Amino acid sequence: MKTSEPSARSPLPQLLPQEHGGYAQLAFPLLTALVIGRPGLGSIFLALACLAAFLAHEPLLVALGRRGGRKQKLLGRPAWLAFALASTAAVGFGAAGAWLSREFIWALAVPAAFALALAPMIVLGRERTTPGELLAAWTLAAFGFPVALAAQVSLRDALVCLAVWDGAYLIATLAVRSTLAVAKGKPSAPLARGAGASAAALAAAGIALALAHEAPWAAVIAFSPLAALAVAIAFRPPDTRHLRAVGWGLVAASSATFLLLVGGLR
């Protein structure tokens, strides 16, 4: 007998994070940290804790009714169970990773600070605004910082990776928001100008630091693909029919940034 009720299907796909860009925003910084370093159990456990925390987000929103009352009614119990399992895994892996990498436990304050800034946005239902999406992207990127240090990456290179991904995600978020603004008939010029100004300022800062031998040229080079594509999208927003292509384009540019960053720092 056919049914269209969500309860007749496995609830798992509906409890996975729905912001698909978030997967890439988490994965690339974590992979960068692990690939350029010498990962041991401590860094691997911290990376798994970050992944588990990411997976706990969507079930919690469903359980609290933030994805709609009907979805809460149909999936409330499995959502609470999924949240409990994911959050328990996050705490367990996080505690183990922190113990094994206790020399760098202070670095956990970086993603924690971003997460605390993001929390009010989630509580107020403003996580899908421009500031909310920026904080979400920066929080995900910040997870890579303690993982990098735990994987024996130098403090300078860990900071370089954090700066590159945070800067790239800033411009990419503004570009995507500019495209969505056009689709909704809203002003997009301020977002486009913000993306362009941010790219120019960050590139100039990177070049200045590289010339002063305070940062590697790899950071400037790696920053370029994602920043250039994002600025192009911001100033020439594509039709909404091509939003999927925009997403895949940003993933491809992120892959290029990842490869250049790894090649320059490893």
Side-chain angles (χ1 to χ4, degrees):
M1 178 177 172
K2 290 185 178 181
T3 178
S4 59
E5 289 294 316
S7 57
R9 303 193 302 267
S10 169
L12 180 59
Q14 300 174 76
L15 297 177
L16 293 174
Q18 302 301 303
E19 293 81 6
H20 297 124
Y23 292 92
Q25 290 171 341
L26 175 68
F28 282 115
L30 287 181
L31 287 174
T32 303
L34 293 173
V35 173
I36 67 173
R38 294 189 295 276
L41 279 179
S43 57
I44 292 172
F45 282 160
L46 286 178
L48 289 173
C50 297
L51 176 61
F54 176 66
L55 294 176
H57 175 67
E58 186 66 22
L60 180 60
L61 292 182
V62 172
L64 294 176
R66 296 292 295 277
R67 296 303 193 204
R70 183 170 181 271
K71 199 168 186 179
Q72 180 189 35
K73 181 179 179 181
L74 292 171
L75 300 173
R77 291 183 65 183
W80 279 119
L81 177 59
F83 170 72
L85 291 173
S87 57
T88 299
V91 171
F93 282 126
W99 172 255
L100 292 171
S101 309
R102 51 192 176 276
E103 179 182 355
F104 304 108
I105 194 170
W106 59 269
L108 294 171
V110 175
F114 281 108
L116 285 174
L118 176 63
M121 292 287 187
I122 296 174
V123 171
L124 296 173
R126 296 183 58 81
E127 67 270 24
R128 292 190 176 181
T129 62
T130 299
E133 291 190 358
L134 279 173
L135 282 171
W138 287 339
T139 300
L140 293 174
F143 283 138
F145 181 67
V147 173
L149 292 178
Q152 303 180 52
V153 175
S154 69
L155 178 60
R156 189 204 69 163
D157 286 353
L159 288 171
V160 164
C161 291
L162 178 61
V164 167
W165 287 117
D166 273 357
Y169 288 165
L170 164 63
I171 302 164
T173 299
L174 292 176
V176 172
R177 297 293 300 184
S178 175
T179 300
L180 294 175
V182 170
K184 296 176 181 178
K186 297 180 179 180
S188 64
L191 292 166
R193 288 195 295 267
S198 298
L202 290 169
I207 291 171
L209 289 171
L211 289 172
H213 304 289
E214 296 295 333
W217 281 103
V220 180
I221 297 170
F223 173 73
S224 301
L226 189 51
L229 178 61
V231 170
I233 291 170
F235 281 95
R236 294 292 298 272
D239 189 273
T240 53
R241 293 173 297 177
H242 302 138
L243 285 179
R244 184 181 293 273
V246 169
W248 282 113
L250 290 172
V251 169
S254 298
S255 300
T257 292
F258 164 72
L259 292 172
L260 289 168
L261 198 53
V262 168
L265 296 181
R266 192 171 183 183

